[in-house]
Amino acid sequence: MDVDLPVFIKPLEVEINGVGQYQHAGTVQDLTAMLLGGKWPKSAGGKFHTALWRSMEAIEWYVDADTARSAFVEAAHEAGMHVLPDDTPEMKKAS
């Protein structure tokens, strides 16, 4: 497999750079970069590792990018970060 091909996800914005400072992600590669970029809280729990594993699976084998995205959102919430549009009232109603 060519790991240089982007694995697209439903775009999101993550409050990873501090309160009110969001970073955009449109691919699983973007999610992986955020997880490994050194800005993730040091007190990350088990959901961090699940998100990293799911992201690597999606990149390596191109399986279920939505699962990688969902795992990332759960890890971000566990770390106390907001994720848009997932944290908007309209999205919470749809869940």
Side-chain angles (χ1 to χ4, degrees):
M1 295 273 151
D2 185 354
V3 296
D4 292 333
L5 293 175
V7 180
F8 293 101
I9 59 168
K10 177 182 169 189
L12 55 80
E13 305 286 329
V14 182
E15 190 179 34
I16 193 169
N17 296 317
V19 176
Q21 297 181 23
Y22 289 83
Q23 186 171 336
H24 177 79
T27 66
V28 174
Q29 287 86 342
D30 293 338
L31 302 179
T32 304
M34 281 190 241
L35 289 164
L36 297 175
K39 292 183 180 180
W40 203 269
K42 302 292 184 232
S43 61
K47 292 185 181 193
F48 169 87
H49 297 290
T50 300
L52 183 57
W53 180 251
R54 295 293 179 236
S55 294
M56 296 305 293
E57 284 182 326
I59 290 170
E60 284 290 321
W61 301 295
Y62 302 101
V63 295
D64 208 356
D66 290 337
T67 297
R69 185 189 186 281
S70 293
F72 180 89
V73 170
E74 288 181 17
H77 287 158
E78 180 181 66
M81 292 183 267
H82 293 109
V83 180
L84 300 175
D86 297 58
D87 293 347
T88 60
E90 298 82 29
M91 290 300 294
K92 286 183 178 182
K93 282 183 189 176
S95 303

